[in-house]
Amino acid sequence: MTEITERPLISIVVGSVRPVRIGDQIAEAIAPIIAEASGARVQIIDLAELNLPMLDEPLMPAMGNYTHAHTKAWSEIIAGSDSVVFLTPQYNGGYPAALKNAIDYLYAEWKAQPALIVSYGGHGGGQAAAQLQQVLDFIGLNTAAGSVEITIPRDGYGTDWRLVDAEPIVAVAADALRAASATLTENALVH
Ligand SMILES: Cc1cc2nc3c(=O)[nH]c(=O)nc-3n(C[C@H](O)[C@H](O)[C@H](O)COP(=O)(O)O)c2cc1C
C-alpha cells in the first residue's frame, strides 16, 4: 500500500491591521516565492480579517482552556499549520501590537512551531524582527529559519499609500526568502 503524505501547510500571518496598509500586498507577493521554494501549500492569514479583540480570555492561554469562538478559530489555524511565516512591519522600532496580541492568545500551539520572520520597513524592519524573534524564542518556536528583511523604497508608494507594485520590491529579497523557506520546510511539523 502506498502511503500518501500531504504537502505541509505554511501559514503567512499578516501582522499589519491598518485600514490603509501594504502588508496584504507584501503577503500576496511573497506567497508564491515561499510556495515554490518550500514545496508546501501556503495560506495567507490576515489578522485584520481575523479581528481578534484585545486578549479577552479569562484564563492564561498556557492552560489551554479557551472560552471564545474567536480564540478557538485562531487556535485551529495555528495548530493546523506545519510552519508559520510572521510578516511584520516595523512600527517605532518594534512590531505591531496586533501581532503581539495574536501571539499572546495561544500557547501550546506555538511550541516547536517552525517560524520564519519576514520584516519590512524603510530600512527593512530589522528592529521589529529582532524583537519578534526574542518573543518567539521565549515561547519556544523553532526560529532556525531566521528572518528576511524587505526594504520599502519611498517611491514604492502611490498617492493612496498603497504599493504601486509589490513584486519588484519583494524580488530584491527573493533569494534570501527562498533559502529561508527551504529551511522552514526541512523543519516543518507535518501533522
Ligand atoms: C505607527 C507607525 C510607526 C512606524 N515606524 C517605523 C519605523 O520604526 N521604521 C520604519 O522603517 N518605518 C516605520 N513606519 C513606516 C512603515 O514602515 C510603513 O508605514 C509601512 O507601510 C507599514 O506597514 P503597513 O502599511 O503594512 O502597516 C511606521 C509606520 C507606522 C504606521
Side-chain angles (χ1 to χ4, degrees):
M1 198 174 125
T2 319
E3 194 184 331
I4 299 169
T5 48
E6 224 180 299
R7 287 187 300 146
L9 177 64
I10 296 176
S11 292
I12 300 176
V13 176
V14 181
S16 164
V17 300
R18 298 193 302 142
V20 179
R21 60 182 177 158
I22 63 169
D24 57 327
Q25 293 178 290
I26 306 263
E28 294 288 349
I30 64 172
I33 299 171
I34 292 171
E36 197 199 343
S38 66
R41 293 170 294 142
V42 172
Q43 64 177 357
I44 295 172
I45 305 298
D46 191 341
L47 291 184
E49 281 171 23
L50 217 57
N51 201 19
L52 290 167
M54 286 302 282
L55 182 55
D56 63 351
E57 282 292 337
L59 297 178
M60 265 177 45
M63 298 169 86
N65 189 358
Y66 304 138
T67 58
H68 297 300
H70 54 253
T71 314
K72 290 173 188 166
W74 174 226
S75 165
E76 277 171 26
I77 290 168
I78 298 304
S81 303
D82 299 300
S83 45
V84 176
V85 175
F86 292 89
L87 177 61
T88 181
Q90 179 162 314
Y91 291 167
N92 295 318
Y95 60 97
L99 184 52
K100 182 66 161 63
N101 186 50
I103 291 168
D104 290 342
Y105 257 95
L106 308 180
Y107 188 75
E109 299 83 344
W110 296 128
K111 291 285 171 195
Q113 180 76 248
L116 165 65
I117 297 168
V118 179
S119 65
Y120 60 94
H123 303 281
Q127 289 163 293
Q131 283 194 356
L132 181 53
Q133 169 130 13
Q134 192 180 353
V135 168
L136 300 186
D137 286 338
F138 179 87
I139 303 170
L141 286 85
N142 176 349
T143 58
S147 58
V148 173
E149 296 181 18
I150 298 173
T151 299
I152 313 294
R154 279 184 190 207
D155 63 4
Y157 292 89
T159 50
D160 58 355
W161 293 105
R162 299 269 294 160
L163 292 178
V164 176
D165 187 358
E167 269 183 40
I169 292 170
V170 165
V172 177
D175 283 345
L177 203 51
R178 281 191 203 99
S181 304
T183 309
L184 200 57
T185 323
E186 282 163 26
N187 298 332
L189 317 154
V190 178
H191 288 96

